[in-house]
Amino acid sequence: MALQEIAPGVFVETEHLGSNNSIVSTRDGLVLIDSPHRPTDAMRWRRTAAAMGEVAFLINTDHHIDHTMGNYFLPGTVVSHEITRDRLVNHAPSKAYVEDLITVIDPEGLPLIRDYQVRPPTVTFVERMALDVGGLRFDLTHRPGHTPNSIYIELKSLGVLFSGDLFCEIGLPAFVEAHVYEWLEAARFLGTVDAEWIIPGHGKVSRPRDVAVFRQKMEDLIGQVADGIAAGEPRDVLAERIRFEDLIHISTGGSPSYPDHLIELFQHKSIEAIYDQTIERQCT
Ligand SMILES: [Zn+2]
């Protein structure tokens, strides 16, 4: 594992399978951003945090399991968008899904999830929220894209922005629940922000200018789907044919990869989502 301190008191771990995980140290405790996916990583992360202080807040950038599963293992008040809470309270993945997944990606972590329960946010917001903790101000902003409830977090005094999966340096994440065209707008916006560093949802710590590469990958994929639509290819044929490189769900930091059938499912559903929203856009 490679914990980097990218600004005074801002620590980022980019080698967990699942989301990047950050710890911001303030005078009044720690603010964590996204929690580890694998239970063994989450337990280690808990110890890393404990060595720095008490966890005051834990912010989730979306509801996906790779950003929220570790909430269960960590202390602190969980904060996120109100739809993130709704998704985790009312539509969480089944116990069987979670166990099957952990069996593959973290077999040693299985005993840790015997009593596992989703730990949803208890403090939520709709458009924006400011958290002032120990002399640092965290600006949380709702920006639909990767999910309807995606948020990004700015730590303006330190020139740091946490983008969640609105930007992934490592490559494209799933479009399964995406607002595809709003996401493109969000990526355009993130490329222009006045920040020294962008901490992506997955991949290396980046600069705002690096978002252009990611945006181009999105545009290329959307373009492939649009070309297929223009050529009259049906939805199911396109969803079978078009594939993009998935570097999000594969072995990271020595962990195993996601099972192939899930990677395939994400791809399939991603192309369908892009197809549906491209058709919808052409009709309006
Ligand atoms: Zn993610």
Side-chain angles (χ1 to χ4, degrees):
M1 299 299 121
L3 193 65
Q4 307 168 60
E5 185 173 11
I6 59 143
V10 181
F11 300 88
V12 185
E13 173 58 72
T14 60
E15 290 186 12
H16 286 158
L17 174 71
S19 56
N20 284 340
N21 303 126
S22 303
I23 298 174
V24 182
S25 173
T26 85
R27 287 198 308 265
D28 293 332
L30 310 176
V31 177
L32 273 50
I33 290 141
D34 285 330
S35 58
H37 188 1
R38 301 165 78 225
T40 52
D41 288 337
M43 289 304 288
R44 209 176 310 119
W45 196 238
R46 183 192 174 104
R47 289 193 292 274
T48 301
M52 295 185 197
E54 275 196 26
V55 180
F57 296 101
L58 163 55
I59 305 171
N60 293 137
T61 57
D62 68 48
H63 61 285
H64 286 155
I65 191 168
D66 58 330
H67 297 249
T68 56
M69 177 150 186
N71 291 5
Y72 171 73
F73 301 96
L74 290 158
T77 300
V78 182
V79 179
S80 196
H81 193 270
E82 70 168 17
I83 300 172
T84 298
R85 174 173 167 84
D86 175 62
R87 292 300 305 264
L88 290 174
V89 170
N90 298 310
H91 309 278
S94 70
K95 197 163 171 60
Y97 178 91
V98 174
E99 282 176 3
D100 287 354
L101 183 55
I102 297 307
T103 301
V104 175
I105 64 170
D106 191 18
E108 288 172 27
L110 264 183
L112 300 170
I113 60 164
R114 215 169 282 137
D115 301 317
Y116 173 73
Q117 284 179 351
V118 169
R119 192 161 90 85
T122 53
V123 173
T124 63
F125 69 98
V126 178
E127 284 177 23
R128 50 176 61 92
M129 167 189 259
L131 272 182
D132 286 277
V133 191
L136 280 181
R137 179 182 166 113
F138 298 76
D139 284 291
L140 285 61
T141 305
H142 178 212
R143 187 89 198 204
H146 172 63
T147 67
N149 42 297
S150 292
I151 66 167
Y152 65 88
I153 300 140
E154 291 166 286
L155 206 44
K156 288 178 186 159
S157 60
L158 295 176
V160 176
L161 186 151
F162 302 88
S163 69
D165 286 5
L166 291 168
F167 163 52
C168 296
E169 181 275 338
I170 203 165
L172 298 176
F175 287 65
V176 178
E177 297 180 282
H179 286 194
V180 176
Y181 291 91
E182 284 180 75
W183 192 0
L184 260 186
E185 286 304 314
R188 229 168 253 139
F189 161 74
L190 289 172
T192 66
V193 291
D194 180 21
E196 186 83 9
W197 300 107
I198 293 199
I199 318 304
H202 301 255
K204 294 192 186 79
V205 173
S206 302
R207 305 280 188 180
R209 61 171 178 270
D210 301 325
V211 181
V213 176
F214 174 75
R215 202 192 74 213
Q216 190 61 51
K217 284 181 186 161
M218 289 180 80
E219 285 179 354
D220 290 349
L221 182 64
I222 294 167
Q224 281 185 59
V225 175
D227 289 349
I229 291 171
E233 268 187 274
R235 184 176 188 261
D236 54 333
V237 173
L238 271 177
E240 278 299 320
R241 178 174 69 77
I242 298 177
R243 287 291 171 269
F244 55 96
E245 197 177 11
D246 184 341
L247 297 170
I248 303 267
H249 300 99
I250 61 158
S251 175
T252 310
S255 84
S257 301
Y258 259 52
D260 289 343
H261 71 274
L262 282 183
I263 293 182
E264 176 58 22
L265 181 73
F266 297 155
Q267 293 265 321
H268 213 270
K269 284 184 174 275
S270 292
I271 303 302
E272 287 176 351
I274 298 170
Y275 179 97
D276 292 343
Q277 291 175 42
T278 302
I279 294 274
E280 197 181 294
R281 196 175 156 88
Q282 288 171 352
C283 293
T284 51

